[in-house]
Amino acid sequence: MSTPNEAASCLAVILAAGEGTRMKSTRPKVLHEVAGLSLVGHALKSAEAAGIGRAVVVIGPDRPDVAKEVTRLMPEAEVVEQRERRGTAHAVLQAERAIASGHEAIVVLFGDTPLVRPETIRALAEAVRQGKTAVAVMGFQAKDPAGYGRLILDGTDLVDIREHRDASEKERAITLCNGGLMALRGELALDLLKSVQNRNAQNEFYLTDCVGLARARGFSARVIEVAEEEALGVNDRVQLAACEAVLQNRLRERHMRNGVTLIAPETVFFATDTVIGRDVLIEPNCVFGPGVSIAENAVIHAFSHLEGATVAAGATVGPFARLRTGASLGKGAKVGNFVEVKNADLGAGAKVSHLTYLGDATIGAEANIGAGTITCNYDGFHKFRTKIGAGAFIGSNSSLVAPVIIGAGAFVGSGSVVTKDVPPNALAVARGRQVTKEGWADQFRARPENQVRQKPSR
Ligand code: UD1
Ligand code: MG
């Protein structure tokens, strides 16, 4: 996370110690996902995208699962525990060692607020770097301000933040609210945080008190205002879905602006990390899980589901196709309807047009895989690979029992169960030979024991 740009001397402190009771879940709140990424992952990624050089994540006690997710996404991030929930300032102070190590700005992010844009983080950090402003707060006009801290202004100066519970009637009428994100001048941060008291309705150490404390030291505070949508936090599953909707709209718009055609954008769902090239066409009702990359001019037909898959230029997928982790389609390859591909490479121009399962396989360029082909990759204990050479032709309804190799240019007769390797350019037929008995049906019907029955209608 050491992007060599202007925000590199900032420290991000991500608060993720919340219990998330209203999620009614055994999973901690910050591990719930929107657009294929955990909430805490969104905070880490937006800090990273803002160019912040270092991150500390404050987690609740006994949360190895949260620590693991943080490390998975950003191995160099530091994880600290807040043993007791004593307020947002107390939570930030758990990162004391990192804060003391000298940064121009400390940016506090909430692990449950996934829609914050990197530009906002940068603007906050920038605001406290020099001059009189030592505290910057992300503010927004709330349609319903109940529950939020109110931003009290004097002109454009932020004078104080009053939590809803501590606010007077007059203060409660204010609709400009605290979105939670805050930047503190680095050299002042520890002094401010350590001066916070807990004399308030909740007996908590409020981060928001840093505003008044900075002013008492002759500095000023200001608000960076954003749309309400950006400040949306997740406390329950309804808000989780609301965040998902906002994020999906952003992703759809981003891809369309980058040159991707979406016929019915509202029916297509992306992951945060989906990569799509120019002139890709995506038909309605497609879902992209994490780790998908699609190159230019590919077509994803309706009702396809992709995750962990790579699709090269000009390839076509679907309708009704499923590409699972490790599926890789070469240039111009075709995966048609009711085909599932997992951990398999398809060479350029390879075709698998209908009703097929390809798992743990390598398919050569221009190979043709007939309808109903199955790679039998699993014996109940282990997985085995199937290799199909370039230009091979697999007849319909064949079972390829792995490990097995079909040589380049070879043919497999349809209906075969292939258990032995097939040399290049050979034909393998592995099915019962057809037996035809002329007139057999009439003799059968004529048997005395079949006379009582009604003749089958023809
Ligand atoms: C906070 C702000 C409020 C703002 C609102 C925006 C304070 C005092 N108040 O209130 O002004 O309008 O967010 O949503 O900051 N956390 C910890 N440890 C703690 C306490 C909190 O890690 O001891 C974390 C929570 O997990 C959460 C974040 O800090 O991610 C905010 O805490 P929360 O309890 O939601 O604060 P609010 O009451 O919503
Ligand atoms: Mg909250």
Side-chain angles (χ1 to χ4, degrees), residues 183-371:
L184 303 171
R185 171 85 53 95
E187 63 202 23
L188 283 177
L190 269 189
D191 170 35
L192 296 177
L193 290 163
K194 286 185 167 173
S195 307
V196 170
Q197 303 289 312
N198 65 345
R199 284 187 297 266
N200 53 53
Q202 301 189 88
N203 294 318
E204 281 191 0
F205 295 89
Y206 288 166
L207 177 63
T208 45
D209 285 359
C210 289
V211 170
L213 290 164
R215 287 176 58 83
R217 285 159 176 72
F219 291 92
S220 64
R222 56 174 287 215
V223 178
I224 304 283
E225 199 177 321
V226 299
E228 177 160 19
E229 170 188 290
E230 191 174 339
L232 211 60
V234 174
N235 294 303
D236 57 28
R237 311 255 184 172
V238 176
Q239 289 170 329
L240 188 71
C243 283
E244 179 81 50
V246 172
L247 214 48
Q248 289 300 340
N249 278 332
R250 279 192 198 167
L251 291 168
R252 289 163 188 149
E253 197 175 316
R254 183 205 294 168
H255 290 305
M256 289 188 284
R257 294 209 186 280
N258 284 344
V260 178
T261 297
L262 303 180
I263 295 172
E266 67 285 4
T267 68
V268 177
F269 295 83
F270 294 107
T272 314
D273 65 354
T274 309
V275 176
I276 313 182
R278 282 197 176 183
D279 288 314
V280 168
L281 167 67
I282 300 175
E283 290 184 355
N285 297 298
C286 291
V287 176
F288 295 81
V292 175
S293 165
I294 316 261
E296 60 279 2
N297 294 309
V299 178
I300 312 297
H301 292 290
F303 295 98
S304 293
H305 189 286
L306 297 83
E307 64 188 311
T310 308
V311 176
T316 67
V317 175
F320 299 99
R322 178 165 186 211
L323 301 188
R324 291 169 55 198
T325 302
S328 169
L329 275 51
K331 277 192 181 157
K334 180 185 176 195
V335 166
N337 44 271
F338 306 107
V339 171
E340 174 178 343
V341 181
K342 184 217 80 172
N343 192 25
D345 292 325
L346 269 72
K351 287 190 179 59
V352 44
S353 299
H354 354 250
L355 299 155
T356 289
Y357 172 60
L358 295 179
D360 304 307
T362 307
I363 318 290
E366 302 293 334
N368 194 317
I369 314 294

Side-chain angles (χ1 to χ4, degrees), residues 106-192:
I106 311 296
V107 181
V108 180
L109 293 99
F110 290 174
D112 60 1
T113 311
L115 300 173
V116 172
R117 291 171 313 132
E119 298 89 291
T120 305
I121 299 176
R122 266 199 295 265
L124 287 163
E126 198 49 48
V128 299
R129 256 221 195 101
Q130 64 240 325
K132 288 202 68 86
T133 307
V135 178
V137 171
M138 178 177 84
F140 66 100
Q141 285 293 347
K143 271 187 227 85
D144 174 13
Y148 289 113
R150 307 300 206 281
L151 300 182
I152 300 169
L153 297 184
D154 177 6
T156 58
D157 269 10
L158 175 63
V159 181
D160 210 348
I161 306 181
R162 192 85 66 239
E163 289 306 298
H164 183 86
R165 293 180 208 229
D166 303 305
S168 65
E169 273 310 302
K170 206 172 140 220
E171 287 165 342
R172 284 187 180 182
I174 298 171
T175 52
L176 185 64
C177 291
N178 175 19
L181 216 73
M182 185 183 282
L184 303 171
R185 171 85 53 95
E187 63 202 23
L188 283 177
L190 269 189
D191 170 35
L192 296 177

